[in-house]
Amino acid sequence: MTLSAANASDRKTPLEYTRNIGIAAHIDAGKTTTTERILYYAGVVHKIGEVHEGTTVTDWMEQERERGITITSAAISCDWTSKEGPSEGIAHKINIIDTPGHVDFTAEVERSLRVLDGAVAVFCAVAGVQPQSETVWRQMDKYNVPRIAFINKMDRTGADFFDAIKSMREKLAANAHPLFIPFGAEENFKGLIDLVHENLILYDESDPMGVKYDLLDIPEEYKEQAAEYRESLIEAVADFDEAFAEKYLEGEFFTPVEFMAAIRTATNSREFVGVIPGTAFKNKGVQKVLDCVVNYLPSPLDVDPMRGEDEREKEVLIQPDDSARVAGLAFKLWTDPYVGKLVFFRNYSGNLKKGSVLYNPRTGKTERISRLMIMKADSREDVDEIFSGDICALIGVRDVVTGDTLCEKSFDVRLEPPTFPDPVISLSIEPKTTVDQEKMSTGLQRLAEEDPTFTVSTNQETGQTIIAGMGELHLEIIRDRLMREFKVEADSGKPMIAYRETVTQAAKAEGKFVRQSGGRGQYGHAIITLEPAESGAGIHVESEIVGGAIPKEFIKPTMDGIREAATTGVIAGYPVVDFNVKIVDGSFHEVDSNEMAFKMAGIFALKEALKDAGPVLLEPMMKVEVTSPEEFQGDIMGDLNRRRGQIQNMDSRKGLSIINAIVPLETMFGYATDVRSLSKGRANYSMEPSHFEQVPPNVLAKIVETAY
């Protein structure tokens, strides 16, 4: 079937009224609760589910409902009609992705933000900016995602809206300004003061669902504060809209619609963040978040065109256009018990119909789309076609991995895939019976396809299956899914750290592979230089061969050998990272040289160079934040020091001590139990990967002894 252009009449919602947004934040800031309220007010659900009851729509996995956390990003669509502003009375289609907050599932946030046009960042009004908030914010910056902020939990004891904004400005360098200010706080939080329309939104306390509210004049005691923050908001957005700035500076009257248009321009510049207070749990402020989504966040037409490369590696700009050829990104894979493999797909251009054939430039193969679905979290709706700017699920696609481009064969283009961090922890896993062996292999393969931060390998010496991921919880969920979804009974070993090796000085070495056993032999010879690179730079191998010392056809095998040798270092057998290699000389034999001989020469050359390049072992360091009553501060700091932790700073907030430290991951196993014991159950902590650091000599000896 060929792909046909869509008529404007085929599309239910015009592209300018489509929003693709994510809900992202630190764990326990209230993302899922906020999403649940959005679905209720938008009419998708008729009963509000609660995280603590395990009844939310987007947390639909058993593991999510048991633990009260989001593990996999859930996609869902709804409609919203704003009652104010330029979009007044117009139904907007909002595609929402509720992302996890736990650092172990950061890949879910990464791939979601890669395909979204805007985001709602949720913060806790008590805690403000927390460590994972910073990680999510950096991910939004990485993919240039415009955003608004929702300061949630305004009903909680200790809630401070303005302090939360202050922490956004200090910790995130965000140009954050209130669009509304709270009317009351903690148990007296009753409504919002709208700085654009200059009125009070007072919620009717007799309606616990938050649907009924009154629009009133701003109370006298709030007028001065509202005027101050309104003035600050006007000055902030005037920097991004010349026409609005001119009116403001000349003292001319401007309407709320003009003010909102200026806020939209500022938001879409990605240099301004509008902030809304509220409490999702008590059903206050969420409708205003939806209004801000449709009024201020961009449609697919407002964001920069998607960049890709054609088969000649020339840049291609892909505009959202229903009449163009189809091109989109497969950003997530999921195994569904009823329909098999689901491929979550962001369609950037063209009109894709059920039964169409798409081309995968990575594999060079075509794939037939047997069904198209619009996702409603754990339920789904079959559709016959999707349009540019849409997010959907494809069924029938087989050979696809996260980050693959799918396009028409006549439009051979590769879109930039999302990038993912390397796993930091691993463990061995063994099936209990031979029957479980095959089921485990199938299960692990499918789970690795779904999750780019989960890897499976085999230890060549012991034959053990090794699984690696982003943390203890990540691997615990993997084991749990193996048992529930694939019915695999398996035992696992103790968690192991994903150490790395690197070099500290330059070295030169040669590798020679010579075999002569009668008849034709093998001969490969390469001389290389090795230099350390900056942290995070990766491995860079290049050839400086001139004059044919090594024939051109043997250069690539030599490079392949160097990269293969880097998978096992010379200290304890861990992968070697962050170095540059140049192939500077070598020799060959007219008859005996072949690709395999030069690959072996590359392996030998790197192994020799590593020995002389000051090799060191690196361990993953974690950024840890502990929040505890001040009376336990000394014990907790002493415990972190015993774990080789480096205290970065301390802060006090409303009787709580907040300790930030950098601690080796190796010492953090079981910390959840220990910190509860130290604080009589009153402290909590969060942890995220920070960087790799050289292992101290006394610890190195133990690691090397264990490795061998």
Side-chain angles (χ1 to χ4, degrees), residues 342-515:
L342 289 174
V343 176
F344 286 73
F345 183 70
R346 165 68 194 265
N347 191 35
Y348 284 102
S349 71
N351 167 5
L352 177 61
K353 289 180 179 288
K354 183 172 71 174
S356 301
V357 173
L358 290 180
Y359 175 68
N360 185 339
R362 179 184 63 85
T363 62
K365 296 177 182 175
T366 56
E367 303 272 1
R368 182 172 291 278
I369 313 302
S370 59
R371 290 167 72 185
L372 289 169
M373 289 180 168
I374 300 296
M375 299 305 294
K376 298 287 175 77
D378 60 340
S379 63
R380 48 199 69 80
E381 175 191 335
D382 275 283
V383 293
D384 292 329
E385 60 186 337
I386 55 134
F387 304 93
S388 60
D390 282 346
I391 291 175
C392 69
L394 312 178
I395 296 171
V397 181
R398 295 176 182 277
D399 190 5
V400 169
V401 298
T402 298
D404 274 355
T405 300
L406 295 174
C407 55
E408 291 187 50
K409 194 158 188 180
S410 62
F411 188 34
D412 188 347
V413 65
R414 291 160 181 79
L415 301 173
E416 184 187 347
T419 55
F420 301 104
D422 292 328
V424 295
I425 188 171
S426 62
L427 52 80
S428 61
I429 187 165
E430 296 293 330
K432 287 188 175 178
T433 67
T434 50
V435 176
D436 286 318
Q437 177 71 56
E438 191 174 332
K439 289 194 290 185
M440 188 180 85
S441 298
T442 304
L444 290 175
Q445 183 186 345
R446 287 196 189 168
L447 293 169
E449 281 178 359
E450 291 174 12
D451 186 348
T453 57
F454 171 64
T455 61
V456 184
S457 59
T458 303
N459 185 314
Q460 297 300 329
E461 293 177 8
T462 64
Q464 286 181 309
T465 301
I466 306 295
I467 59 174
M470 299 305 297
E472 287 181 275
L473 179 61
H474 188 192
L475 296 184
E476 182 189 319
I477 297 296
I478 292 288
R479 294 202 307 271
D480 196 37
R481 288 188 61 193
L482 267 179
M483 187 177 72
R484 294 194 196 197
E485 295 174 31
F486 300 97
K487 305 295 184 283
V488 173
E489 293 290 331
D491 295 319
S492 56
K494 286 184 178 179
M496 300 176 286
I497 308 298
Y499 292 101
R500 298 283 184 269
E501 297 184 23
T502 193
V503 295
T504 57
Q505 60 197 48
K508 187 173 184 179
E510 69 175 327
K512 190 175 273 192
F513 183 72
V514 183
R515 288 285 185 276

Side-chain angles (χ1 to χ4, degrees), residues 576-615:
V576 189
V577 296
D578 303 331
F579 63 85
N580 298 325
V581 167
K582 292 176 182 173
I583 306 170
V584 294
D585 203 357
S587 61
F588 71 101
H589 188 280
E590 290 284 357
V591 177
D592 291 350
S593 287
N594 57 40
E595 290 187 0
M596 180 52 70
F598 272 95
K599 183 177 182 180
M600 295 304 298
I603 291 172
F604 292 163
L606 185 71
K607 292 293 185 190
E608 285 301 313
L610 287 173
K611 292 175 188 174
D612 299 330

